[in-house]
């Protein structure tokens, strides 16, 4: 069964802290994605990765960085957390290729609050 | 970039009723997926449907790629169908990247 896990379900951090959100998939997928979800704005892509050590900016990369040292793990880093980064963060993965395997599978989400 | 619009934004149904959710997109795509987000936040993929029609139980979806829209049908709705339904589109030469609509929030009353 397909599984994407995220390190925390809820997280509370202070302004200026460095925050790491971890995502792990067990499906040997090439592609991994980080989104944030805010009321009224839907899901917005922060960064994605189509291979180990490869990364591409999404629509809202400012204030974030990512790391993909191993195929199964994709980390989102908030270098200096700010209150406007309070949000739900969702990780997803998909197999590579122009076919049905492009289906994205999502983790349960991390609700981050920055005080 | 590609724009995705979903309608209606909100929908309230009585259990047992049928509904149709619509997704319009502004450019040609070769990747279109429908997702359901349950009240606990988990997103589940319902359909991968860049064209044609698919059915899975009480749910079915149709995409008319030439006219740039997709429809999700829910028949005999149940309270467990409540949540937010998202349409997402993309191009397969972009590493599987998807652009999401803002969703339709469905509430099914017993």
């Amino acid at each position: 069964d397909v599984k994407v896990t995220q390190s925390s379900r809820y997280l509370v951090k202070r302004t200026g802290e460095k925050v790491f959100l971890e995502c792990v998939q067990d499906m040997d997928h090439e592609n991994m994605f980080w989104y944030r979800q805010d009321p009224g704005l839907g899901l917005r892509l922060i960064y994605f990765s189509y291979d180990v050590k490869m990364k591409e900016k999404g629509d809202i990369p400012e204030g974030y960085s990512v790391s993909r040292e191993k195929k199964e793990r994709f980390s989102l880093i908030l270098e200096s957390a700010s209150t406007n980064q309070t949000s739900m963060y969702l990780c997803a993965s998909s197999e590579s290729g122009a076919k049905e395997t492009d289906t994205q599978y999502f983790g349960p989400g991390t609700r981050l609050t920055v005080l | 970039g590609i724009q995705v619009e979903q309608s209606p934004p909100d929908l309230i149904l009585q259990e047992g009723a049928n509904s149709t959710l619509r997704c319009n997109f502004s450019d040609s795509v070769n990747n279109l997926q429908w997702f359901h987000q349950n009240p606990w936040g988990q997103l589940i993929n319902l359909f991968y449907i860049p064209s044609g029609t698919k059915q899975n139980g009480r749910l079915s979806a149709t995409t008319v790629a030439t006219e740039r829209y997709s429809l999700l049908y829910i028949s005999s709705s149940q309270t467990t169908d409540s949540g937010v339904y998202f349409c997402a589109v993309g191009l397969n030469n972009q590493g599987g990247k998807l652009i999401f609509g803002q969703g339709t929030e469905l509430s099914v009353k017993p």
Side-chain angles (χ1 to χ4, degrees):
Chain A
D1 205 12
V2 163
K3 197 165 184 183
V4 180
T5 57
Q6 295 184 227
S7 51
S8 305
R9 194 78 174 92
Y10 299 94
L11 205 53
V12 180
K13 295 291 182 180
R14 297 210 173 272
T15 301
E17 280 193 79
K18 191 168 185 175
V19 182
F20 293 86
L21 302 182
E22 303 282 338
C23 175
V24 177
Q25 51 94 3
D26 66 358
M27 298 161 283
D28 201 35
H29 283 171
E30 284 82 6
N31 302 329
M32 296 188 75
F33 309 84
W34 275 108
Y35 297 90
R36 64 176 283 177
Q37 183 178 16
D38 301 289
L41 297 177
L43 276 74
R44 294 179 292 167
L45 182 64
I46 305 171
Y47 267 97
F48 66 106
S49 168
Y50 51 87
D51 201 352
V52 176
K53 296 191 186 293
M54 305 301 289
K55 60 186 179 184
E56 292 281 343
K57 292 181 180 179
D59 300 316
I60 51 165
E62 296 79 19
Y64 303 95
S65 62
V66 290
S67 172
R68 193 166 181 202
E69 296 295 319
K70 293 185 177 182
K71 191 175 185 180
E72 68 271 18
R73 188 179 297 270
F74 192 35
S75 302
L76 180 68
I77 303 154
L78 287 66
E79 297 290 343
S80 178
S82 64
T83 54
N84 62 13
Q85 292 178 310
T86 292
S87 186
M88 169 72 99
Y89 289 87
L90 291 157
C91 174
S93 72
S94 71
E95 194 174 336
S96 184
K99 46 190 182 292
E100 193 130 354
T101 52
D102 262 350
T103 297
Q104 285 196 16
Y105 297 91
F106 279 82
T110 296
R111 189 166 293 281
L112 173 67
T113 301
V114 182
L115 302 175
Chain B
I2 300 173
Q3 305 295 315
V4 183
E5 291 185 5
Q6 291 185 243
S7 60
D10 304 282
L11 188 57
I12 300 174
L13 296 176
Q14 208 63 37
E15 200 168 24
N18 302 329
S19 62
T20 301
L21 282 56
R22 187 176 179 102
C23 172
N24 292 332
F25 43 96
S26 62
D27 208 342
S28 298
V29 299
N30 47 22
N31 185 347
L32 188 147
Q33 301 181 34
W34 282 97
F35 296 86
H36 174 227
Q37 186 173 39
N38 66 24
W40 297 271
Q42 178 71 57
L43 272 123
I44 302 295
N45 189 285
L46 299 174
F47 293 104
Y48 174 93
I49 186 164
S51 64
T53 297
K54 289 187 177 179
Q55 179 153 8
N56 184 2
R58 296 180 296 102
L59 301 182
S60 64
T62 295
T63 297
V64 183
T66 52
E67 297 188 23
R68 300 181 186 168
Y69 73 88
S70 183
L71 302 174
L72 178 70
Y73 305 96
I74 304 173
S75 64
S76 304
S77 58
Q78 301 176 358
T79 55
T80 52
D81 295 331
S82 296
V84 183
Y85 289 81
F86 289 102
C87 167
V89 304
L91 297 172
N92 286 329
N93 62 355
Q94 293 187 344
K97 174 183 171 182
L98 291 176
I99 298 164
F100 281 74
Q102 293 196 8
T104 292
E105 185 162 7
L106 174 65
S107 178
V108 181
K109 305 294 186 185

